[in-house]
Amino acid sequence: MGLAGHVTRAVTRALLPAAEQERLAGLQLHDAGHGWDRLGMHPDSVKLSAATTRFLYEVWFRVDSRGAEGIPSTGPVILAANHAGLLPLDGVMLWADVLRHTSPPRVVRMVADTFVPRLPFVGTAFSRTGVVGGNRATVDRLLDDGELLGVFPEGVPGIAKPSSERYQLRPFRVGHAELAIQHGAPIVPVGIVGSEEQWPELARIESFHLWGAPYLPIPATPLPLPVRYRIRYGTPIDPRARFSARQADDPGAARALAREVQAAVQALIDQGLRERKGLFR
Amino acid sequence: MTGVLVTGATTLFGRALVERLLARRDGTTVLAVAAERTWPGVQDRRLHYLPLDLTRSRDVRELLFGPARDLAIDVVVHSAHHRSVRAKGRRVHALNVDATREMLQLAERHPTIRRFVYVGSAEIYRVDAALPALIGEDHPIEMSPEMPQRVRDRVEADLTVCVRMGLSPLSIAVLRLAETFAPECGSQLFDYLSSRVCYRPIGHDPMLDVISIEDATRATELALASRAQGVFNVPGADVLPLSAAIAYAKRIAIPIGASLIGPLYTARARVRGTEFEWSLNRRRFRWSGVLDGARAKRELGYQPQHRVRWTAPADETTEPTPRVHVDDTLRATPPT
């Protein structure tokens, strides 16, 4: 083990309670030979991220999570959530929440836009914790391997909407529905409340496309606001009950399933909004 | 399988494949062909070695309709290609591409040959951040005209063979092997790690897929014994980040801006004559590209089993190779 490996383990030991370290020892990983999976995920990096996101999860955003017990413990699953915020902190909180609330612990393979792997340092760091590029062949293979995918079916329009339209979902893309039908994977709808207000945007530079980024956001505050996150998981929608795998190529079937998922996510968001007493409570 | 013709037989891969075929003890005859005058491997009464220049059309014709027919060769394993990464020109193209086309065309009307296995490389796949990190057989091919001749030749030879699938009377298999980490195999990673200091792009640490000679030859053996047609990715047992490969080889990694690495390696190649070519690696040393071997597993029964020996190349000891006889009775024409 090199210096980086020693530092990683030391930081993890320092920041993560012993019980949680023991629980995460049961992480499922398709080891490709040297401790990494084929897409670059490494258990030490997952544990380090679990340790370093604790402060954000427990103290800063004080995540209130409900319904995670409904996530199937094995087999291919797709989590479909709403997406908002200056930076993908909602994805980070969802990743941490699922890791905490699944037994044995499951790592959400968050599907990122294709520009994310291009980002120096960020792309590598994300891949070590299980983030994958948003292309069809990769996610197909992950579902074949029985992994848990995390997608934001709104895509970039979800995070690019004005604050006056917060918590109003953009039309869901249908890729996740096609995948679910093709692989017989249940879709777990997820509503995230708090992400829309976490980091107000002052402006954006639309002409900034370095590394393929859609734009460069300018934050109104130097740090994200300590809003309270609410993550609500819905009942899994099992496409096998109504669709055969061959219907994955039927645009009508995929659209119908995507609409159903969108309605479920919207209902979970509305539930979270009703339960909240204020931005910070 | 009664007899196998192996081209490029004196490379490390070729020798290992020949030895593997001889170890089968099922009476298979091996006709080994390469440019070298002498056969550097083991001796066996079932092995016939023929020095031959595959760029000479007449030699190839006389090989196939002479010794290959006499020995009742029924399978061809074509692995010959120019060993130097930097070599270019018509003669290199003649070996890498024209010889492949010639072999295939002649094999199609040969009285005994029934199967043609082309040993290609995963170098032909395009690697990019926007493309899947898992490379299936239908992954985009690297068609950029800026790529060195080595890649363009490999693409052309691969597609030349692929285009005959289903049309040819032969049963054809194309193997796209992960990078073989060994000397004499054109391994860029081996050349890269032969330097004590390795420059790598700062902020990027892609996943690499590396195969051992044992697995490469085992996959080829499975392919030539099979009737399965098509293209097969052949991954290795070593899937790891570039930084880990550098660490295993006990080298010093220096992360620097990607735009600086090219000139540095060009200068190093001019001063020290190394084979490492940055233009061949600039994408795969930034973006991950790992072979998906599901089809080879399903249809050939291949799964990687043997790890690469990550000994630093400079620390390797070169064992003297035995010199054995050349079977002059099978000589088609004198090598040039």
Side-chain angles (χ1 to χ4, degrees), chain B residues 22-314:
Chain B
L22 294 173
R24 285 170 65 92
R25 299 291 168 204
D26 60 355
T28 304
T29 303
V30 179
L31 175 55
V33 170
E36 281 68 26
R37 292 188 67 83
T38 54
W39 167 249
V42 296
Q43 200 172 7
D44 191 289
R45 64 181 175 76
R46 289 178 294 131
L47 170 65
H48 305 271
Y49 178 68
L50 195 60
L52 195 81
D53 181 359
L54 288 173
T55 63
R56 293 178 58 176
S57 179
R58 174 60 50 191
D59 286 11
V60 175
R61 187 178 295 267
E62 291 190 9
L63 163 73
L64 288 182
F65 290 95
R69 187 183 56 193
D70 297 344
L71 292 168
I73 296 296
D74 57 348
V75 181
V76 173
V77 177
H78 183 51
S79 71
H81 59 266
H82 205 285
R83 296 184 195 189
S84 172
V85 171
R86 293 173 169 270
K88 54 188 174 184
R90 285 179 60 188
R91 196 168 164 73
V92 175
H93 184 268
L95 175 61
N96 291 345
V97 181
D98 296 341
T100 304
R101 186 181 293 113
E102 187 86 16
M103 290 281 293
L104 186 57
Q105 284 175 351
L106 293 173
E108 285 183 346
R109 52 177 196 266
H110 195 273
T112 60
I113 294 172
R114 297 286 174 268
R115 184 154 174 82
F116 190 92
V117 177
Y118 174 72
V119 182
S121 165
E123 263 182 311
I124 70 162
Y125 289 120
R126 186 175 176 83
V127 175
D128 196 284
L131 293 172
L134 284 178
I135 295 176
E137 283 83 357
D138 55 355
H139 190 89
I141 301 290
E142 178 56 85
M143 302 289 274
S144 168
E146 293 95 46
M147 292 308 279
Q149 182 179 337
R150 172 189 164 93
V151 174
R152 285 182 281 122
D153 279 0
R154 288 215 168 206
V155 169
E156 188 178 350
D158 187 290
L159 297 182
T160 297
V161 180
C162 286
V163 86
R164 293 300 300 160
M165 282 179 194
L167 303 173
S168 168
L170 299 172
S171 155
I172 297 174
V174 171
L175 304 182
R176 292 174 181 165
L177 267 59
E179 178 162 359
T180 313
F181 186 75
E184 304 174 46
C185 293
S187 168
Q188 281 286 281
L189 192 61
F190 193 88
D191 296 331
Y192 175 73
L193 295 176
S194 65
S195 304
R196 189 157 291 282
V197 172
C198 300
Y199 303 111
R200 69 178 184 86
I202 191 166
H204 298 278
D205 195 11
M207 299 300 287
L208 303 177
D209 190 344
V210 190
I211 191 170
S212 62
I213 286 284
E214 291 93 333
D215 276 346
T217 53
R218 200 170 59 83
T220 309
E221 185 191 11
L222 288 167
L224 58 88
S226 162
R227 300 298 297 167
Q229 288 212 71
V231 179
F232 301 95
N233 284 343
V234 181
D238 290 75
V239 175
L240 72 176
L242 175 61
S243 62
I246 296 171
Y248 286 159
K250 297 187 172 61
R251 296 314 195 202
I252 300 163
I254 298 188
I256 58 173
S259 56
L260 294 174
I261 300 180
L264 278 170
Y265 274 108
T266 302
R268 179 180 278 184
R270 287 194 181 147
V271 173
R272 299 181 59 187
T274 52
E275 280 277 293
F276 183 74
E277 180 84 53
W278 174 246
S279 59
L280 276 168
N281 299 284
R282 66 172 191 263
R283 288 202 176 110
R284 72 184 191 116
F285 276 17
R286 292 179 77 180
W287 325 123
S288 294
V290 175
L291 292 182
D292 181 359
R295 186 181 290 172
K297 181 182 175 185
R298 190 174 59 244
E299 297 191 32
L300 302 180
Y302 166 78
Q303 269 191 294
Q305 292 175 350
H306 298 92
R307 292 272 183 85
V308 163
R309 200 158 55 91
W310 287 99
T311 314

Side-chain angles (χ1 to χ4, degrees), chain A residues 88 112-120 122-124 126 131-133 211-213, chain B residues 129 287:
Chain A
D113 206 326
T114 49
F115 75 87
V116 172
R118 288 184 188 276
L119 302 172
V122 175
T124 300
F126 275 15
V131 176
V132 296
W211 299 305
Chain B
W287 325 123

Side-chain angles (χ1 to χ4, degrees), chain A residues 44-105:
Chain A
D44 284 353
S45 301
V46 172
K47 291 172 195 165
L48 177 68
S49 297
T52 52
T53 52
R54 273 188 78 215
F55 173 77
L56 275 180
Y57 184 93
E58 293 177 4
V59 179
W60 198 260
F61 292 127
R62 305 171 308 286
V63 176
D64 169 23
S65 168
R66 288 183 202 168
E69 64 279 0
I71 299 172
S73 57
T74 56
V77 180
I78 298 173
L79 297 186
N82 58 311
H83 195 20
L86 200 72
L87 290 179
L89 292 170
D90 49 357
V92 176
M93 292 301 103
L94 179 61
W95 179 92
D97 192 56
V98 172
L99 194 66
R100 282 165 173 250
H101 290 101
T102 45
S103 181

Side-chain angles (χ1 to χ4, degrees), chain A:
Chain A
M1 195 196 309
L3 178 64
H6 286 294
V7 171
T8 298
R9 292 194 176 181
V11 173
T12 304
R13 276 197 300 272
L15 296 180
L16 207 59
E20 188 62 6
Q21 287 180 44
E22 197 175 322
R23 202 180 69 84
L24 291 183
L27 271 176
Q28 307 287 316
L29 177 89
H30 294 284
D31 188 343
H34 291 274
W36 289 265
D37 84 348
R38 288 180 301 169
L39 294 167
M41 186 170 79
H42 194 281
D44 284 353
S45 301
V46 172
K47 291 172 195 165
L48 177 68
S49 297
T52 52
T53 52
R54 273 188 78 215
F55 173 77
L56 275 180
Y57 184 93
E58 293 177 4
V59 179
W60 198 260
F61 292 127
R62 305 171 308 286
V63 176
D64 169 23
S65 168
R66 288 183 202 168
E69 64 279 0
I71 299 172
S73 57
T74 56
V77 180
I78 298 173
L79 297 186
N82 58 311
H83 195 20
L86 200 72
L87 290 179
L89 292 170
D90 49 357
V92 176
M93 292 301 103
L94 179 61
W95 179 92
D97 192 56
V98 172
L99 194 66
R100 282 165 173 250
H101 290 101
T102 45
S103 181
R106 296 193 80 174
V107 178
V108 188
R109 310 304 298 262
M110 299 301 302
V111 179
D113 206 326
T114 49
F115 75 87
V116 172
R118 288 184 188 276
L119 302 172
F121 301 104
V122 175
T124 300
F126 275 15
S127 77
R128 295 292 174 268
T129 57
V131 176
V132 296
N135 49 63
R136 190 61 181 257
T138 303
V139 293
D140 266 337
R141 199 56 216 265
L142 286 171
L143 288 173
D144 281 343
D145 289 346
E147 299 258 15
L148 173 61
L149 287 190
V151 298
F152 295 116
E154 293 173 278
V156 171
I159 55 171
K161 59 180 176 268
S163 61
S164 59
E165 296 175 23
R166 59 186 181 275
Y167 298 119
Q168 296 171 31
L169 293 175
R170 289 289 179 263
F172 273 22
R173 296 169 179 178
V174 299
H176 68 291
E178 286 173 358
L179 284 169
I181 295 171
Q182 183 187 339
H183 294 271
I187 300 177
V188 178
V190 186
I192 301 174
V193 171
S195 53
E196 294 276 15
E197 299 91 357
Q198 74 189 2
W199 210 339
E201 185 180 285
L202 186 65
R204 67 179 59 163
I205 302 172
E206 299 279 359
S207 58
F208 180 93
H209 298 299
L210 193 59
W211 299 305
Y215 57 85
L216 180 68
I218 309 294
T221 57
L223 291 172
L225 301 176
V227 297
R228 182 156 199 193
Y229 257 71
R230 284 177 169 77
I231 302 180
R232 301 288 180 263
Y233 300 88
T235 308
I237 300 169
D238 193 343
R240 288 169 298 188
R242 282 175 293 138
F243 304 104
S244 68
R246 275 184 300 179
Q247 285 178 281
D249 293 328
D250 175 358
R255 264 199 301 273
L257 183 58
R259 274 198 297 268
E260 186 181 338
V261 175
Q262 180 169 348
V265 172
Q266 187 68 64
L268 291 164
I269 292 171
D270 295 343
Q271 178 194 335
L273 288 171
R274 279 195 304 275
E275 289 167 358
R276 123 169 135 172
K277 301 178 183 72
L279 277 185
F280 304 101
R281 292 187 296 151

